[in-house]
Amino acid sequence: MLNSNMTQQEKLNSLLSQKMEELNERERTINELQDMINAQNEKVQKLLSSVKDALLGFSSEELTVTEKDGKVYVAMSDKLLFESGSARVDKRGKEALAKLAEVLNKQSDIDVYIEGHTDSKPINTAQFKDNWDLSVIRATSVVRILTKDYGVNPLQIQPSGRGEYMPVADNESAEGRSKNRRTEIIMAPKLDKLYQMLQ
């Protein structure tokens, strides 16, 4: 009986130490994940600061720089980038994109999304069938300038058109429509390492 009890005790001790080791491993993983999340947040704050510094010479009517959900958003008004109904970037817009490209070229570990947005007024010209068309082609124009003129890595950047479907203001007023006509450049640090850890 004594031998049997000892064996039982040994089994329990072995199980207990196995569980303790599992708990320690989990704690190590949680700490590692927390360190990665903190590093990501720090990267976003540094990126935000770099972008704000680079674009200091532009007014709030021309562009705004904000941070939301771990991403940095640069919203450029259509007045800064394009003439009405056009997808050709003008001189002042190119100046802003050149400044932004300087930041992007120092940040190889971020993904960049270029989103074209319009107001709800219909457009139908020889060049653009509708607002979807205009928003996509404007986003592509910005991508071409960033990659071809200023050397941003094409694998890092992705254009898309949102048309009139993600307004930031009311389309009933001229001021609201003006705010909705914008190109957003969204920068997000890559999360590859974090995803690998979670798997």
Side-chain angles (χ1 to χ4, degrees):
M1 273 181 74
L2 192 62
N3 278 345
S4 166
N5 281 342
M6 282 299 288
T7 311
Q8 203 65 15
Q9 185 65 41
E10 282 165 6
K11 280 182 185 171
L12 284 170
N13 284 343
S14 169
L15 189 63
L16 183 62
S17 43
Q18 186 188 331
K19 292 293 176 196
M20 288 293 285
E21 187 50 45
E22 282 174 19
L23 277 173
N24 288 338
E25 185 58 40
R26 276 188 192 170
E27 194 175 342
R28 276 194 294 274
T29 304
I30 287 166
N31 288 338
E32 218 173 309
L33 280 169
Q34 190 58 58
D35 288 346
M36 279 185 177
I37 289 165
N38 291 343
Q40 286 292 107
N41 290 337
E42 202 175 304
K43 260 187 209 170
V44 169
Q45 290 311 310
K46 278 185 182 170
L47 180 60
L48 180 66
S49 179
S50 302
V51 170
K52 279 184 172 177
D53 288 348
L55 299 171
L56 262 180
F58 296 88
S59 74
S60 59
E61 286 180 6
E62 292 177 308
L63 60 82
T64 58
V65 182
T66 53
E67 183 264 324
K68 186 177 138 197
D69 300 331
K71 295 174 187 167
V72 175
Y73 290 76
V74 179
M76 296 187 173
S77 75
D78 72 329
K79 287 176 196 160
L80 172 65
L81 292 174
F82 308 102
E83 285 179 23
S84 180
S86 165
R88 197 167 56 82
V89 178
D90 63 26
K91 190 178 171 222
R92 181 83 171 144
K94 283 184 180 176
E95 283 173 26
L97 293 175
K99 300 273 186 199
L100 193 59
E102 284 175 28
V103 175
L104 297 179
N105 286 329
K106 292 174 190 162
Q107 308 269 345
S108 58
D109 59 345
I110 61 169
D111 289 317
V112 184
Y113 305 92
I114 312 291
E115 288 186 354
H117 297 266
T118 68
D119 60 25
S120 61
K121 277 191 148 184
I123 185 171
N124 189 343
T125 65
Q127 193 180 1
F128 309 113
K129 285 184 185 174
D130 53 25
N131 282 326
W132 277 116
D133 233 3
L134 177 61
S135 67
V136 170
I137 291 168
R138 280 185 167 180
T140 309
S141 296
V142 169
V143 168
R144 278 201 193 97
I145 288 165
L146 287 171
T147 55
K148 291 189 174 170
D149 297 356
Y150 303 126
V152 175
N153 181 357
L155 295 174
Q156 193 179 351
I157 201 163
Q158 183 178 321
S160 66
R162 299 288 194 159
E164 65 207 64
Y165 299 103
M166 287 183 75
V168 289
D170 190 351
N171 274 306
E172 294 306 307
S173 70
E175 189 186 341
R177 286 193 298 276
S178 175
K179 284 181 182 171
N180 291 333
R181 294 190 303 271
R182 68 202 188 279
T183 300
E184 287 190 350
I185 295 154
I186 303 159
M187 292 155 276
K190 290 185 178 176
L191 297 170
D192 305 4
K193 286 179 187 170
L194 207 53
Y195 288 139
Q196 282 166 12
M197 279 283 297
L198 292 170
Q199 287 170 354

